[in-house]
Amino acid sequence: MRVAIVYHSGYGHTGRQAEAVKAGVEQVEGAEALLLTVEEAQARWDDLAAAEAIIFGAPTYVASASAAFKAFQEASSHAVMARGFAWKDKIAAGFTNSGSRSGDKLATLIQIALFAAQHGMHWVNLGLPPANNSTKGSEEDLNRLGFWLGAGAQSNVDQGPDVAPPEADLRTAEHLGRRVAETARQLARGRLVTGQETAPRPDSPDHEGGRARTPLEAPG
């Protein structure tokens, strides 16, 4: 069972977060992690098509995912959507990092979730309660920043990726990777039990007349 992690990292901080996600995936028996930058991913569409799950990660720049990650998103329209909706029914999840505690990271996670939805993927949330929100809380808590949709991390702008994001945020990312791999394994087992290893492809005779649909694209 393969779980791909596709990410962009401008300064290395989101890259450390991606590596923590990978470590979490590999804690699940039978799961193999494929770690790819967005540039590498655009040369390996077939490998992504073969993965049971894809976890997407990007830094939050100016209240949005980075331009490099957006370029990957747009490239997937032609390479994946227009050629048979190939990611439909895969598991998806997301993570992001910024310099401030909030940093409008939720906007980036929403963008990634909508991107996954356009591909027909099943979104997996973080599955952790918000932490560090009482006198008993700590900066060492998982999900210390209080995100639900995906994993958030915060890196001080005057610190390099050798020390940031902090350990709590990396363990939160690790939790996300493990959760996605466990969910993908459950789904794969369910499909085996029902005799359906994968959902009908849009271009198969079993899917709405057997005609592949192409995405509607805005002009410009």
Side-chain angles (χ1 to χ4, degrees):
M1 183 185 68
R2 174 172 286 182
V3 177
I5 302 150
V6 179
Y7 74 98
H8 173 247
S9 184
Y11 301 95
H13 303 90
T14 311
R16 283 201 68 199
Q17 196 181 13
E19 290 169 0
V21 172
K22 177 178 181 289
V25 169
E26 293 174 340
Q27 291 172 9
V28 176
E29 182 179 358
E32 174 191 0
L34 175 63
L35 187 65
L36 299 172
T37 66
V38 289
E39 293 82 11
E40 293 168 337
Q42 291 180 66
R44 300 184 65 172
W45 297 114
D46 289 344
D47 289 327
L48 294 180
E52 280 74 22
I54 308 176
I55 307 174
F56 304 102
T60 295
Y61 294 157
V62 201
S64 176
S66 61
F69 187 82
K70 289 179 180 177
F72 162 75
Q73 289 179 303
E74 293 181 14
S76 75
S77 176
H78 297 285
V80 182
M81 284 187 188
R83 296 184 179 181
F85 217 32
W87 291 352
K88 182 178 182 293
D89 291 333
K90 293 185 186 298
I91 297 295
F95 60 93
T96 187
N97 170 83
S98 70
S100 59
R101 295 179 70 89
S102 173
D104 290 325
K105 284 190 278 284
L106 178 59
T108 297
L109 291 174
I110 290 173
Q111 289 173 24
I112 297 174
L114 288 172
F115 168 64
Q118 289 187 340
H119 279 285
M121 305 174 81
H122 300 299
W123 185 263
V124 173
N125 58 43
L126 183 58
L128 285 174
N132 194 28
N133 58 359
S134 72
T135 57
K136 297 180 180 180
S138 166
E139 285 289 290
E140 303 304 316
D141 293 342
L142 292 183
N143 198 21
R144 69 185 181 100
L145 302 176
F147 285 89
W148 283 268
L149 195 58
Q154 180 265 330
S155 299
N156 291 332
V157 296
D158 58 350
Q159 290 182 318
D162 55 328
V163 294
E167 185 63 27
D169 294 351
L170 296 178
R171 287 189 292 112
T172 300
E174 185 177 294
H175 167 87
L176 178 67
R178 183 169 59 251
R179 177 171 166 81
V180 169
E182 289 171 346
T183 303
R185 182 173 63 180
Q186 291 169 359
L187 184 60
R189 286 176 174 174
R191 285 171 174 164
L192 288 174
V193 169
T194 61
Q196 182 184 20
E197 293 190 16
T198 58
R201 291 283 297 278
D203 54 353
S204 74
D206 298 327
H207 190 281
E208 297 182 359
R211 182 175 61 84
R213 296 181 179 179
T214 57
L216 297 177
E217 298 180 354

